[in-house]
Amino acid sequence: ADVVFSPNYLLLPTEKPLIVAIHDLYFMEGSGQDYFGGSFLAAHLRRHLENRAALAVTDSIAVRTQLLGRFPRMEGRVEVVYPGLRPRYRQRATEPVCSALRSELGLPKQYLLCVGDLSTRKNQLRLVDARRRIGEDEAPPLVLCGLSDESRRRVAARCKEIGLRSDLVITLPYLEDDQLHPLMSGAHALI
């Protein structure tokens, strides 16, 4: 290999130029208890990033700024590469496809959608709280997609705790692209 690419924070042992992708520095902010391996990753980056990475790639200017704030010696070696879309996601699924998926999943015609498993940094439980504060008929139901069974139980418990009707927050497990694309296409809004 001429170059080694690390798609996450772990810097691989190599003498070749190393390119590392950094999506966020949440685990270094002191509140990353739900981030698997956070303390290890923080120590790993502190020891190796400035000395070993030929290039760090971030997916936003904000993360680039945070990274350079913590690792100023990386100046000149941090580039922003915005996330791309698979060709399928560059256009909406047709209404008949969206309608068929809604029927299959038991979803209403209008819904708000948030994709990703529960995480403090993504703050979906606060989103559930926000949905409670909106009048029951003032906004479509919230659909949380990509949740583990444990996360789905936590959301149900939170809804019960705050007195939110169960039909106003719908939880779905991880979905493959053939379902996720029409789910996103049919959403009233993505959160």
Side-chain angles (χ1 to χ4, degrees):
D2 294 321
V3 173
V4 175
F5 172 67
S6 179
N8 66 27
Y9 311 93
L10 295 176
L11 293 137
L12 303 170
T14 180
E15 297 298 319
K16 302 291 183 179
L18 179 65
I19 300 172
V20 61
I22 299 180
H23 299 281
D24 61 59
L25 295 176
Y26 177 75
F27 61 91
M28 297 185 83
E29 301 300 322
S31 58
Q33 295 87 358
D34 68 334
Y35 196 100
F36 178 74
S39 60
F40 167 78
L41 290 173
H44 183 74
L45 277 179
R46 282 190 189 100
R47 283 193 315 268
H48 300 294
L49 184 64
E50 286 183 323
N51 297 327
R52 296 204 34 240
L55 180 67
V57 177
T58 69
D59 56 15
S60 71
I61 292 172
V63 174
R64 180 185 188 280
T65 301
Q66 289 176 333
L67 183 65
L68 289 173
R70 289 192 177 268
F71 303 100
R73 289 182 24 217
M74 288 296 299
E75 185 65 53
R77 294 184 288 148
V78 181
E79 295 291 333
V80 176
V81 177
Y82 296 105
L85 291 173
R86 293 184 199 132
R88 152 185 271 174
Y89 287 89
R90 291 183 184 150
Q91 60 185 8
R92 287 181 167 217
T94 64
E95 177 50 34
V97 171
C98 295
S99 179
L101 181 74
R102 285 193 307 270
S103 178
E104 178 184 339
L105 297 176
L107 298 177
K109 184 168 176 69
Q110 287 199 349
Y111 54 90
L112 307 172
L113 177 63
C114 180
V115 178
D117 201 9
L118 285 190
S119 164
T120 303
R121 67 185 172 150
K122 294 183 180 182
N123 222 354
Q124 294 100 322
L125 290 179
R126 178 155 300 183
L127 186 57
V128 170
D129 292 347
R131 181 60 188 93
R132 170 65 180 95
R133 287 192 303 269
I134 299 171
E136 291 183 354
D137 299 322
E138 298 298 316
L142 172 63
V143 173
L144 300 174
C145 178
L147 276 60
S148 67
D149 290 342
E150 175 58 28
S151 293
R152 293 175 84 181
R153 284 190 286 276
R154 286 178 58 201
V155 169
R158 182 67 185 152
C159 289
K160 186 175 182 179
E161 177 184 332
I162 64 174
L164 183 59
R165 282 191 353 231
S166 61
D167 64 324
L168 293 178
V169 177
I170 301 163
T171 60
L172 298 174
Y174 174 86
L175 299 179
E176 296 293 340
D177 271 3
D178 62 330
Q179 291 183 307
L180 184 60
H181 177 241
L183 180 71
M184 291 175 77
S185 295
H188 181 72
L190 298 176
I191 302 170

